[in-house]
Amino acid sequence: HNNNNNNNNGNNNHLNDVAPKTIDTSSCQLLTAEDKTVLNPTWTASYPGSGAKLSWKLIRALTGIFTSDEHDHNGRVASNKAVAVKTHYPSHTPTEIMQKDELKRIRRAILLIRNPLHSIPSYHNFVYEQVNGLRNHSVRAPIEAWIKWRNEFFGTEIKAWIDHQRFWLNNFSREEGKFHLLSFEHLTSHKRGVETLRQMGAYLASGGSDIAEGMIPVDQLPCVWQIYVKEGNVPGEKDRRKSHREGGPTVYPFTNDQLDEMISRMEEFKAEYPNFPALTEVLDEYIETIRSKKELILQLVASS
């Protein structure tokens, strides 16, 4: 794997992620996405609630080329004008959609991964919005709605989370240079965000000269990170395009058994990929986060 050289400066970086001083964005020179033929696009695959929309915006900012998704509503996949194609397959996309010829030819993948402690509640926020006819990315679900849904679907969703990662690892990570693991937590961390963005950009550029020649200069990456990730103020963006929800709870309760199941499933999953240090590092961070937050989460359960 060419993506296993992530520096691990101690496993608890994510727990004490101190904000550096704000980056001055007044002289930033951002790219505007344009139509451009791309011969070798990449999948960006994620379990829902893992930051897919943010990664989409960042890919456009890094490459200056449009993105699409597996439904191809904008027609850019069929016309070879998409640098990346977002998908939630296999966890939440019907198989028949993936049978299109223009999708079958995509042989590179970014797997965007986020701790199930946060991605499962984030996916439920989307479900809650759909059920209640609310705009996507507009609200966080109330605790009562979460608990009812969680008690019915937790087992299904933690299995879907694991199966999702396994599908992309098994189908894409075996071949050198065809796969990139992208941690949502590293991407949004003050300490590792810009470097994570740089690695993501290098992977995208490796898709071919048609992509590499138009990439944003590396010295603009702190700007991109500050504007898109930290502030979420994307230039010229309409309100409906937001990738952050407002209001409502930011931590959702799980039961002790559910937290234990999350940990044991991730431990078992990690053991399936002993030769993939980047994955081991991310899963270890997730397990450590769940253990360190367990007491806080169980207090939420007691009071809810």
Side-chain angles (χ1 to χ4, degrees):
H1 297 283
N2 64 337
N3 47 2
N4 292 348
N5 55 357
N6 291 355
N7 295 325
N8 184 5
N9 317 321
N11 247 357
N12 291 335
N13 282 354
H14 58 297
L15 299 178
N16 48 24
D17 185 31
V18 185
K21 59 181 186 297
T22 302
I23 297 158
D24 175 23
T25 56
S26 58
S27 60
C28 291
Q29 295 169 310
L30 299 179
L31 298 176
T32 331
E34 52 189 57
D35 275 317
K36 188 174 175 182
T37 301
V38 174
L39 299 175
N40 199 10
T42 183
W43 285 113
T44 48
S46 61
Y47 172 89
S50 303
K53 202 164 205 177
L54 174 63
S55 72
W56 228 17
K57 293 173 183 177
L58 287 169
I59 289 169
R60 287 201 301 254
L62 292 171
T63 62
I65 307 171
F66 282 110
T67 53
S68 189
D69 64 18
E70 73 270 75
H71 303 284
D72 198 25
H73 295 313
N74 61 23
R76 290 200 172 95
V77 182
S79 60
N80 298 325
K81 295 278 198 292
V83 68
V85 182
K86 173 173 84 88
T87 183
H88 294 312
Y89 184 83
S91 61
H92 292 84
T93 295
T95 305
E96 57 272 17
I97 287 173
M98 305 296 279
Q99 300 308 312
K100 300 178 208 159
D101 288 342
E102 60 266 29
L103 296 181
K104 285 182 174 172
R105 67 185 179 79
I106 304 173
R107 294 310 311 148
R108 291 159 51 77
I110 293 172
L111 175 60
L112 173 61
I113 188 170
R114 185 185 189 189
N115 196 330
L117 184 70
H118 302 121
S119 57
I120 293 175
S122 182
Y123 170 57
H124 171 253
N125 286 333
F126 167 75
V127 171
Y128 179 81
E129 287 164 342
Q130 296 295 302
V131 168
N132 291 285
L134 300 165
R135 205 180 65 225
N136 190 6
H137 288 88
S138 61
V139 297
R140 294 191 183 102
I143 294 280
E144 314 75 73
W146 157 249
I147 289 175
K148 187 169 181 294
W149 184 86
R150 173 205 78 182
N151 289 347
E152 190 173 345
F153 295 108
F154 172 77
T156 308
E157 292 306 323
I158 189 60
K159 182 179 184 304
W161 188 92
I162 296 279
D163 288 347
H164 180 94
Q165 323 307 340
R166 185 187 286 123
F167 172 86
W168 290 96
L169 284 157
N170 288 354
N171 284 285
F172 286 84
S173 75
R174 312 276 192 231
E175 226 179 310
E176 187 73 28
K178 296 292 170 74
F179 182 81
H180 182 70
L181 184 69
L182 176 63
S183 151
F184 175 81
E185 288 77 10
H186 294 174
L187 185 61
T188 55
S189 129
H190 290 103
K191 196 170 280 187
R192 301 181 69 156
V194 175
E195 172 57 18
T196 303
L197 208 52
R198 188 198 64 74
Q199 292 170 359
M200 179 181 166
Y203 172 76
L204 288 162
S206 72
S209 59
D210 50 354
I211 303 166
E213 66 196 13
M215 296 286 295
I216 197 164
V218 175
D219 65 5
Q220 293 295 308
L221 293 181
C223 272
V224 171
W225 190 84
Q226 179 72 27
I227 291 170
Y228 285 78
V229 181
K230 180 79 172 56
E231 298 170 5
N233 295 333
V234 183
E237 182 152 290
K238 298 185 199 72
D239 192 42
R240 68 180 186 86
R241 305 298 252 171
K242 284 198 306 215
S243 43
H244 302 286
R245 289 182 170 89
E246 312 281 327
T250 53
V251 182
Y252 283 91
F254 288 90
T255 66
N256 192 51
D257 286 352
Q258 288 168 340
L259 294 171
D260 285 346
E261 185 176 346
M262 257 189 248
I263 290 170
S264 65
R265 279 186 176 268
M266 282 196 276
E267 291 280 15
E268 287 165 16
F269 179 54
K270 187 177 72 168
E272 293 176 36
Y273 302 93
N275 304 317
F276 202 155
L279 180 69
T280 302
E281 182 198 0
V282 167
L283 294 173
D284 281 344
E285 286 174 6
Y286 292 173
I287 290 162
E288 168 61 22
T289 298
I290 294 168
R291 288 197 172 124
S292 68
K293 289 187 172 176
K294 204 172 191 190
E295 213 165 296
L296 166 77
I297 293 163
L298 294 177
Q299 283 166 0
L300 288 175
V301 175
S303 66
S304 56

